[in-house]
Amino acid sequence: MITIKGLKKSFNELEVLKGIDLEIDKGKVVIIIGPSGSGKTTFLRCLNVLETPTEGSISIGGQEMDFTKKVSPAALSAFRRHTGMVFQSYNLFPHMAALENVMEGPVTVKKEPKEKVREKAEYYLEKVGLSDKKDYYPFQLSGGQQQRVGIARALAMEPDVMLFDEPTSALDPELVREVLNVMKDLANEGMTMVVVTHEMRFAQEAADEVIFIDGGVIVERGNPQDLFNNPQMDRTKSFLRKIQ
Amino acid sequence: MYLNNILADPERMARLVEIAQNSLLPLIQGAIFYTIPLTLISFVFGIGLAILTALARISDVKFLRAVARVYVSAIRGTPLLVQLFILFYGLPTIGIVLDPWPSAIIGFSLNVGAYASEIIRAAILSIPKGQWEAGYSIGMNNRQVLKRIIFPQATRVSIPPLSNTFISLVKDTSLASMILLTEMFRRAQEIATTNYEFLLLYTEAALIYWVICFLLSIAQGRIENRLDRYVSR
Ligand SMILES: Nc1ncnc2c1ncn2[C@@H]1O[C@H](COP(=O)(O)OP(=O)(O)OP(=O)(O)O)[C@@H](O)[C@H]1O
Ligand SMILES: [Mg+2]
């Protein structure tokens, strides 16, 4: 489903990603952990090219992007449609009601007929438990509700892979669970997911694989039980000690 | 003094009332057939120009940015009256003869274009980067993000300052009297030169400008309320 080869990203002089190789199979849930500033967000943003990698290639859902060459805007837009992104700060469109937020992609980008899209958007809002809030503007929703609309908006584009960047870290503790539950349902339904999170319980419950990134490289990877309970590398051990 | 003299002189009082009554119609006609259309047409062209200029200023193309910057700087750095004189009295020297109407429309549109472009540019830049990224993440291209996500939000931000530009424009159109356009203020001047009641006629014109601007500020409030429906207050 996803193949990443030799991925590097620099901001001016600062090399943030120093060569990442990774394969993710269809239907797998991969959790990325690592210290602040280790490049987790940058990595995720490279996967849907919100950041253009400096080197390397990414293939998702059968489309390959080689970043050693120049990428055309059309190829870029097409490539982004393989992934759905859920942002830490939700980034809902404030001038659109919840349902309109979810409909926006299919109507504007895919040019699907509005009536069909409305049904689809209602289906996805129901999936995230917000049928009764479809006419609410973002400012009328709680953080957890906004984030669930954000998930529905991404799902409505029917991406091959869902990307989550610390989707619950801006939320009050009592709202975290409702978002994680939606994500767990998605995982159980076989959605391929790449999730940056510090929610260890969620990682234990939902992840097929946990990847520990530090200093712009993958330090260690494994299934959650092994990696959390029996880490091999010193850097992983000291990081896990700090967060537990 | 002046007022006392008038009040003590019923004949002069009657004459002033008569002049005021007789001049009201031509002044209002000047407003309806000149001031208001000139304002509206110049504003529409000006906003179009301002959007293009704002987009040029934030584009990746260095040449476009430079052209836009020079245009804005030149218009903002020179008096509007001088610009109108160049268009109407200056250009004929090199064989370009423009009537008062086109001169005025070009002059005021260029002016609005420059000032409003700064407002629109600032409004676009005030929309958080996350809004662009959210648009890109659902597969939108630049044009779609601008049209569907950024412009609707930037409009809300820019309505109050653009209303100020509009109201200034209403008043600035009085400068068109200097290039022979018989708009409201020129009519007031013409009538005053026949009866020498300068204070009366200029005050009358001022009151009509005030009424127009007052009505506009009410309209502005309504539009702002409408656009604020999606933000918490
Ligand atoms: N647009 C940018 N320009 C310059 N430097 C950047 C930019 N984005 C990120 N960086 C730098 O890249 C490094 C990695 O940042 P990144 O946001 O990917 O870390 P992270 O692992 O997500 O951290 P956190 O856990 O705090 O979210 C940091 O040193 C950061 O300052
Ligand atoms: Mg981050």
Side-chain angles (χ1 to χ4, degrees):
Chain A
M1 175 62 52
I2 307 181
T3 307
I4 299 154
K5 286 189 200 140
L7 186 70
K8 291 188 183 177
K9 173 66 185 177
S10 303
F11 295 105
N12 305 319
E13 302 296 283
L14 178 71
E15 189 171 53
V16 175
L17 299 180
K18 299 178 180 160
I20 290 194
D21 296 276
L22 187 63
E23 281 201 29
I24 297 171
D25 291 337
K26 190 170 162 57
K28 293 285 186 245
V29 176
V30 173
I31 305 271
I32 296 176
I33 58 172
S36 182
S38 58
K40 306 180 296 294
T41 295
T42 306
F43 173 67
L44 216 57
R45 288 164 61 86
C46 282
L47 290 186
N48 68 349
V49 206
L50 285 178
E51 303 291 356
T52 308
T54 334
E55 267 180 61
S57 73
I58 302 174
S59 147
I60 299 179
Q63 187 185 350
E64 174 161 354
M65 298 283 269
D66 183 352
F67 295 101
T68 46
K69 299 173 196 147
K70 202 167 157 37
V71 290
S72 77
L76 187 57
S77 286
F79 186 74
R80 285 198 177 119
R81 278 158 62 173
H82 293 284
T83 53
M85 182 81 161
V86 176
F87 298 90
Q88 186 174 359
S89 50
Y90 332 131
N91 293 353
L92 293 185
F93 306 130
H95 57 302
M96 299 180 187
L99 188 72
E100 296 171 314
N101 263 279
V102 181
M103 291 175 64
E104 185 57 29
V107 170
T108 300
V109 178
K110 287 189 172 172
K111 311 258 189 274
E112 290 176 6
K114 261 204 165 137
E115 274 322 298
K116 208 185 111 204
V117 174
R118 181 181 301 274
E119 277 174 34
K120 180 156 79 176
E122 278 169 356
Y123 165 79
Y124 283 113
L125 277 183
E126 187 179 344
K127 209 178 169 66
V128 299
L130 289 174
S131 292
D132 55 334
K133 296 280 190 278
K134 63 180 181 188
D135 295 324
Y136 283 49
Y137 283 96
F139 81 90
Q140 298 168 309
L141 299 172
S142 74
Q145 291 168 338
Q146 290 190 50
Q147 191 57 295
R148 286 185 282 151
V149 175
I151 293 173
R153 175 176 70 183
L155 287 175
M157 289 302 286
E158 287 154 351
D160 299 312
V161 180
M162 286 284 283
L163 310 174
F164 298 81
D165 186 14
E166 303 200 37
T168 58
S169 64
L171 293 175
D172 291 339
E174 74 270 21
L175 301 177
V176 167
R177 206 65 223 170
E178 65 186 48
V179 173
L180 292 182
N181 285 341
V182 166
M183 291 169 61
K184 239 164 67 183
D185 289 346
L186 275 181
N188 290 336
E189 285 166 25
M191 174 60 80
T192 313
M193 296 167 47
V194 183
V195 185
V196 175
T197 185
H198 296 300
E199 295 288 337
M200 291 304 149
R201 209 172 112 209
F202 174 76
Q204 302 264 12
E205 289 167 358
D208 296 297
E209 182 166 27
V210 177
I211 292 178
F212 174 63
I213 292 187
D214 193 7
V217 294
I218 295 178
V219 174
E220 187 167 355
R221 53 192 292 193
N223 70 48
Q225 271 68 33
D226 292 348
L227 195 121
F228 288 142
N229 302 329
N230 190 19
Q232 301 300 305
M233 311 293 286
D234 287 341
R235 274 200 281 177
T236 319
K237 284 178 195 161
S238 80
F239 173 73
L240 288 173
R241 257 200 311 278
K242 268 183 232 147
I243 61 166
Q244 266 157 5
Chain B
M1 301 116 328
Y2 179 76
L3 216 58
N4 283 341
N5 290 344
I6 296 172
L7 293 173
D9 182 350
E11 240 173 74
R12 178 151 160 66
M13 187 76 189
R15 186 178 117 86
L16 285 177
V17 170
E18 195 191 333
I19 291 175
Q21 280 173 345
N22 289 343
S23 59
L24 196 59
L25 186 65
L27 289 193
I28 288 179
Q29 280 175 337
I32 290 176
F33 295 115
Y34 289 86
T35 303
I36 293 172
L38 179 58
T39 305
L40 289 177
I41 295 170
S42 304
F43 194 70
V44 169
F45 282 137
I47 292 296
L49 191 57
I51 292 172
L52 294 179
T53 307
L55 291 178
R57 294 255 350 230
I58 59 175
S59 87
D60 296 333
V61 186
K62 205 172 172 186
F63 174 71
L64 287 180
R65 285 204 305 271
V67 170
R69 196 192 297 256
V70 169
Y71 158 59
V72 172
S73 168
I75 296 291
R76 297 215 302 182
T78 54
L80 176 52
L81 186 59
V82 174
Q83 296 161 14
L84 291 173
F85 270 44
I86 290 175
L87 285 166
F88 186 71
Y89 297 110
L91 289 185
T93 313
I94 54 167
I96 303 172
V97 181
L98 295 171
D99 285 338
W101 261 110
S103 306
I105 288 174
I106 293 171
F108 290 119
S109 300
L110 286 174
N111 209 260
V112 170
Y115 282 94
S117 75
E118 290 291 286
I119 294 170
I120 292 170
R121 184 175 76 104
I124 291 174
L125 294 179
S126 77
I127 307 304
K129 206 166 133 254
Q131 291 291 306
W132 290 87
E133 295 183 345
Y136 292 145
S137 79
I138 54 172
M140 289 183 169
N141 57 33
N142 264 318
R143 209 177 44 78
Q144 289 167 329
V145 176
L146 268 175
K147 180 167 165 234
R148 299 287 306 167
I149 313 298
I150 305 302
F151 277 150
Q153 296 182 62
T155 302
R156 204 193 117 253
V157 180
S158 54
I159 287 290
L162 285 182
S163 302
N164 286 339
T165 306
F166 190 76
I167 287 171
S168 296
L169 178 62
V170 173
K171 296 178 291 180
D172 285 347
T173 57
S174 62
L175 289 175
S177 63
M178 306 292 283
I179 56 168
L180 311 185
L181 201 71
T182 50
E183 45 67 69
M184 179 166 61
F185 185 56
R186 187 166 184 91
R187 288 179 183 216
Q189 287 175 312
E190 284 171 0
I191 298 170
T193 47
T194 64
N195 56 27
Y196 301 103
E197 293 295 350
F198 295 102
L199 178 64
L200 176 70
L201 277 145
Y202 294 163
T203 309
E204 201 175 327
L207 283 173
I208 298 175
Y209 281 116
W210 190 6
V211 168
I212 296 173
C213 292
F214 179 72
L215 294 177
L216 285 173
S217 62
I218 292 177
Q220 174 189 357
R222 297 234 169 126
I223 296 173
E224 282 172 23
N225 278 338
R226 227 188 103 62
L227 289 171
D228 275 353
R229 73 188 182 283
Y230 61 81
V231 292
S232 57
R233 267 170 300 171

